[in-house]
Amino acid sequence: MDNKIIFLDIDGTLILGLTAPSPRTVEAVRGARAKGHKVFLCTGRNMPIIGRDILDVGFDGIIASAGSHVEVEGKVLFDSVLPEKTIQECLAVFHAQGMYCRIETAEGIYTDPQMEALLRAAKPDQSNSELIRMQKEIEAGIPIRTYEEYPHNGAYKICFTSRDLVSIERTKVYLEDRFVYAVHSYGGSAVCFNGEIIPRGIDKGKGMELVCRHYGVDLQHTIAFGDSMNDLEMLQAAGIGVAMGNACKELKAMADTACETVGEDGIYHELCRRGIL
C-alpha cells in the first residue's frame, strides 16, 4: 500500500502555542490528502477546544481526549466518558496532596480556581507544549469554567498541576493501577509540574488502531507526529513515529526519527523527505 494514514498531534506539533497553523503546515495536510493519503488529528484536547482555524485546514477525522473520542469522516467510532464516581475519587486523591485539577468534558473545561495563579507563576520548559498552551489560554482570555460550574456528568480526562513531584508520586499509590500517568517536561527550576491521567487501555495508539481497522489498513502504513509524553503510545503504534525537533528528550529517545521543530515546519519537511508531498 502506497497511501498512508498520517496522525498529527496539535500542540507543539501542528501549531505552536495558540497560533494558527503555518501556511506550509496547511500545505502539507492538504497536499497529502490531495494525493490520496488520510490525515487525522490525534490530540489530547477535547473536542470543544479544537478551534475552527485548525478544523478548517481539513482532516479525515479526529482522535481527541487522548484516545477517548474517535471520529472518522464525521462518524463517531468510539466515545468513552469516565463515570462521575471515578472523577470524584480522582479529584479527592489529587486534592488531598494539595494539587489542582482540570476536568475535560464534552461540554468544556473546568478547573480548580487556584490553578490559574500556579500556571501564571510557571516558567515552562520549551518542550512542555501542554503547559505553554494552558498559559496562552489564560493570556488570550479563553473562557475556562470554574469547578462550581462543572455539570457532574463524567469526563474524558483529568489534567493536574502540582508544586512538587513528590505529591504526584503519592497519588500513584491510589490511581496507577487504573490510569497511565503522563508527566510533562519541566525545567530544573520548575515551580509547576503538570500532567494528565489516561485510563489504561485507552490512548492515542488505541485510537489509531480503531481508525486503521475502519479503513482495513495495517498500522505499519501509518506515520505519527508528536512532541510530548502523551504522544508516546501514538508513536509506538505507528509504522513510523516522528518526534518534533522541539519534543521532549524522552520522546525523541524512542521515536523512529526526529524532524524540524514546529516553528520550522517540521511536518512539511518530513513529509517531503518521505515522498508524501
Side-chain angles (χ1 to χ4, degrees):
M1 176 183 173
D2 293 328
N3 288 344
K4 305 291 185 184
I5 305 181
I6 301 163
F7 296 91
L8 306 175
D9 174 49
I10 295 180
D11 299 292
T13 301
L14 187 77
I15 63 170
L16 183 63
L18 293 181
T19 59
S22 73
R24 271 192 162 174
T25 298
V26 174
E27 180 184 346
V29 173
R30 293 177 177 172
R33 296 184 72 207
K35 292 201 170 189
H37 305 284
K38 303 290 185 183
V39 185
F40 277 72
L41 292 172
C42 194
T43 178
R45 291 195 192 194
N46 60 333
M47 292 295 291
I49 60 168
I50 302 176
R52 287 287 1 147
D53 56 343
I54 294 172
L55 295 174
D56 287 345
V57 173
F59 296 91
D60 294 285
I62 301 170
I63 298 172
S65 297
S68 292
H69 181 87
V70 181
E71 292 186 11
V72 176
E73 298 172 11
K75 178 183 178 182
V76 176
L77 297 187
F78 182 73
D79 188 79
S80 178
V81 176
L82 289 167
E84 186 60 26
K85 180 179 178 182
T86 302
I87 296 297
Q88 292 304 318
E89 180 184 353
C90 294
L91 291 177
V93 169
F94 287 125
H95 290 159
Q97 296 299 326
M99 298 165 62
Y100 306 133
C101 298
R102 172 182 171 117
I103 310 167
E104 300 190 359
T105 78
E107 298 83 14
I109 295 174
Y110 306 85
T111 70
D112 288 317
Q114 303 93 330
M115 183 182 280
E116 181 173 328
L118 184 56
L119 290 174
R120 287 184 182 279
K123 295 180 180 179
D125 184 281
Q126 288 308 299
S127 63
N128 189 340
S129 59
E130 299 297 320
L131 182 52
I132 292 170
R133 171 172 60 84
M134 288 192 288
Q135 288 183 325
K136 294 292 185 183
E137 287 171 347
I138 294 172
E139 293 173 10
I142 292 176
I144 304 295
R145 303 171 189 175
T146 63
Y147 178 71
E148 284 71 21
E149 300 175 84
Y150 172 55
H152 296 270
N153 293 325
Y156 289 117
K157 190 175 69 170
I158 296 177
C159 300
F160 57 78
T161 54
S162 175
R163 297 184 185 278
D164 59 80
L165 290 172
V166 173
S167 296
I168 297 173
E169 290 300 314
R170 286 174 178 160
T171 67
K172 291 182 179 180
V173 175
Y174 305 97
L175 302 177
E176 200 170 28
D177 61 326
R178 289 170 290 161
F179 294 92
V180 174
Y181 278 66
V183 179
H184 301 301
S185 298
Y186 49 86
S189 59
V191 297
C192 177
F193 300 88
N194 70 300
E196 57 198 81
I197 53 172
I198 302 165
R200 290 192 178 277
I202 297 177
D203 55 55
K204 291 183 178 183
K206 294 294 192 300
M208 290 168 59
E209 290 178 14
L210 286 175
V211 171
C212 287
R213 196 178 308 147
H214 176 83
Y215 286 116
V217 172
D218 194 278
L219 276 165
Q220 67 176 335
H221 297 297
T222 65
I223 305 173
F225 291 77
D227 72 296
S228 64
M229 289 310 289
N230 65 2
D231 299 319
L232 176 64
E233 291 83 3
M234 176 173 72
L235 266 62
Q236 288 176 328
I240 300 170
V242 184
M244 303 301 292
N246 50 279
C248 62
K249 63 181 185 298
E250 294 86 356
L251 196 71
K252 286 181 178 178
M254 59 69 54
D256 295 306
T257 189
C259 66
E260 292 82 353
T261 68
V262 59
E264 297 166 332
D265 297 310
I267 293 171
Y268 172 86
H269 292 296
E270 185 65 23
L271 293 184
C272 284
R273 282 190 288 269
R274 295 192 176 276
I276 301 295
L277 302 179

